[in-house]
Amino acid sequence: MATEIKLPELGDGIESGDILEVFVSVGDTVAEGDDIVEVETDKASVPVPSTAAGTVASVDVEPGQTISIGAVLITVEGGAAPADETPAPAQEPEPTPEPEAAVQPEVTPEPVVETPPAPAPAPTPAPAPTPTPPPAQPVAGDSGEIAAGPAIRRFAREVGVDLANVTGSGAGGRITREDILEVVRQANQQVATPSTSSTAGSSNSHTSNAPGEPGTDAFGPVHIESMPKIRKTIAAKMHESWSTAPRVTNFDDADVTDLEMIRKSSKQDYLDQGIKLTSMPFIIKSVALALRNNPKLNAALDMDAGQVIYKDYVNVGIAVDSDRGLVVPSLRSADTKSISDIARDLGTLADNVRNNIFGLDDLRGSTFTISNLGAIGGTYSTPIINVPEVAILLVGRTRKLPVVVDDEIEIRQMMPLSLSYDHRIVDGGDAARFLNEVIGYLQAPSRLLLAP
């Protein structure tokens, strides 16, 4: 009996997904709960398990395909019979003339290995006892026989490594992240030491590190990459924000000299607890406390219903730069957490995003977003609001500047801040009061340590 395995519901508002990878082939045996495909939706990629056991009769999707919720992924034949028993169940072991023609296409993978004792060498028909090809069917990819989990397969795809060329060092020959990194290191060494013949070949040739498939246009070589779903989602959200939210940006600086002294003096204490203490936990706490007293910046605007929804909770979205794009996980109830709790949760969120082990719920529910440009470099910018939120704060790199303090010029550490807000609901005075309160907390960090 054939059973269709369909794409299940993946979350509220998700209607489709992109197939990143197919883990099974026709003839494979799957158990209930085995991962069969990996699907990317919005900003998360998730493996989809089989809901039935059996032998794969057909694979109805392919990598790169966009499918809707409820679409058929694979079809399995009922029962958990091994894959090598499925072909030619009614055939006799002897190579009779009838099955020869039917079996002939299946001989293609490896017929040469056979050393038939039959005297007639020319036709070399595949003897029927060779129904072992189906398990070895993953000739075209790294699906069936390669021992690697979804996260490792995704990592290999991101760095451009073919798993078929990787030797696994893990238990049972399983491929690890380090195995893939070793292949990348070897490839980098070969690129770093090109032969003299290759360098002499062309004066203007160079190795491009651009993603995508190589090609050419009218003016020279190019690389072409299909937009992944995460980039399509980011593009759609940015266009929605730009076209619907009239944005104004306020620029200011916070004197964080005292904060940096406290942070550096406490740095080792936090490291002893396994926590890396940066300035971000102090920024998050400052913003969270200021949002309590400035509800217009902790709100959402529903133009269709003609309503403003003021949030009584404070969930701060943290923009994290990852290999897959900009991902914004939500740090829940930031206003009620201590600096150490925020630092610990922030480290966990960032690691989960960069290792792609987060779920869709981790990206939902934020009421305000912080983007830390200073971690990379730069001072001021005009960040785009993460709609339906109504404001976003971009933090630049702290730098030393001459500042007048009590009629004297001192060298102080100044943190640049850029606050963009939706002018449909947030007025200039609202934004200024909020930003002043944030700066007040940053310039008097003892208030953050004592805050409930």
Side-chain angles (χ1 to χ4, degrees):
M1 177 180 177
T3 303
E4 293 180 336
I5 311 299
K6 301 179 180 181
L7 182 64
E9 294 287 341
L10 298 172
D12 294 338
I14 297 178
E15 299 178 353
S16 64
D18 289 351
I19 300 295
L20 288 181
E21 190 166 1
V22 179
F23 300 140
V24 296
S25 302
V26 173
D28 288 351
T29 298
V30 296
E32 185 175 350
D34 286 351
D35 292 340
I36 53 176
V37 298
E38 185 178 14
V39 179
E40 184 177 48
T41 63
D42 290 334
K43 294 183 178 178
S45 56
V46 291
V48 177
S50 176
T51 54
T55 302
V56 179
S58 68
V59 176
D60 301 287
V61 294
E62 59 184 19
Q65 182 180 350
T66 299
I67 61 171
S68 302
I69 301 298
V72 177
L73 300 172
I74 65 171
T75 302
V76 298
E77 293 289 346
D84 57 356
E85 294 180 6
T86 23
Q91 303 292 340
E92 290 290 291
E94 282 79 3
T96 59
E98 277 183 58
E100 281 177 13
V103 178
Q104 188 70 25
E106 298 184 12
V107 182
T108 313
E110 301 179 306
V112 187
V113 182
E114 286 296 323
T115 329
T124 323
T130 322
T132 32
Q137 201 162 354
V139 176
D142 56 36
S143 42
E145 289 191 344
I146 293 179
I152 294 299
R153 294 173 183 271
R154 183 187 310 111
F155 178 63
R157 186 172 56 251
E158 290 172 350
V159 298
V161 171
D162 184 355
L163 287 177
N165 300 326
V166 180
T167 302
S169 63
R174 198 164 186 81
I175 296 175
T176 66
R177 186 184 180 92
E178 186 59 33
D179 296 331
I180 297 174
L181 290 175
E182 182 59 30
V183 173
V184 174
R185 292 189 195 104
Q186 293 176 4
N188 289 340
Q189 289 176 357
Q190 294 175 1
V191 172
T193 56
S195 62
T196 52
S197 59
S198 62
T199 46
S202 174
S203 59
N204 61 354
S205 64
H206 65 278
T207 302
S208 170
N209 59 359
E213 295 295 325
T216 57
D217 63 11
F219 303 98
V222 297
H223 275 72
I224 302 171
E225 180 188 36
S226 296
M227 287 180 67
K229 197 168 188 67
I230 182 173
R231 181 51 58 184
K232 292 178 184 177
T233 302
I234 292 173
K237 292 290 285 184
M238 293 301 98
H239 181 267
E240 179 187 0
S241 177
W242 184 264
S243 58
T244 60
R247 179 193 60 185
V248 179
T249 305
N250 286 10
F251 305 101
D252 214 327
D253 289 281
D255 185 340
V256 294
T257 307
D258 294 341
L259 187 153
E260 282 298 297
M261 290 177 59
I262 292 177
R263 185 186 70 83
K264 290 178 180 178
S265 64
S266 307
K267 196 173 181 180
Q268 189 58 49
D269 295 336
Y270 279 82
L271 280 176
D272 293 341
Q273 303 175 47
I275 303 172
K276 183 179 179 181
L277 184 62
T278 66
S279 60
M280 272 300 288
F282 296 93
I283 298 168
I284 294 170
K285 183 69 172 181
S286 300
V287 166
L289 292 177
L291 287 172
R292 282 183 184 174
N293 300 326
N294 297 270
K296 279 191 177 180
L297 286 92
N298 196 53
L301 191 61
D302 187 342
M303 292 297 292
D304 293 334
Q307 296 176 338
V308 178
I309 301 97
Y310 296 100
K311 309 296 178 67
D312 294 328
Y313 53 90
V314 177
N315 296 340
V316 179
I318 311 298
V320 179
D321 184 32
S322 74
D323 292 339
R324 300 176 61 243
L326 194 65
V327 180
V328 187
S330 178
L331 199 157
R332 309 289 171 84
S333 303
D335 58 325
T336 64
K337 296 180 183 290
S338 66
I339 294 295
S340 59
D341 288 338
I342 292 175
R344 185 180 293 106
D345 291 350
L346 182 63
T348 301
L349 282 178
D351 288 343
N352 288 348
V353 167
R354 293 183 179 119
N355 293 315
N356 202 25
I357 51 174
F358 59 92
L360 293 175
D361 286 341
D362 297 324
L363 309 179
R364 294 174 174 155
S366 59
T367 59
F368 185 99
T369 296
I370 299 176
S371 180
N372 185 14
L373 182 66
I376 302 173
T379 50
Y380 304 101
S381 183
T382 54
I384 298 223
I385 301 163
N386 186 23
V387 292
E389 298 168 21
V390 296
I392 178 172
L393 180 69
L394 182 135
V395 182
R397 172 166 290 179
T398 299
R399 73 274 193 228
K400 292 181 178 180
L401 291 176
V403 179
V404 177
V405 180
D406 297 330
D407 295 332
E408 297 289 337
I409 296 179
E410 296 183 10
I411 301 300
R412 309 290 290 180
Q413 297 198 61
M414 306 300 292
M415 177 184 289
L417 303 173
S418 306
L419 175 70
S420 288
Y421 51 94
D422 188 340
H423 215 348
R424 292 177 298 176
I425 176 176
V426 181
D427 296 328
D430 301 321
R433 282 186 288 272
F434 168 78
L435 196 52
N436 285 341
E437 190 166 344
V438 171
I439 292 172
Y441 281 118
L442 293 174
Q443 294 186 163
S446 58
R447 295 172 59 199
L448 296 175
L449 300 175
L450 298 174

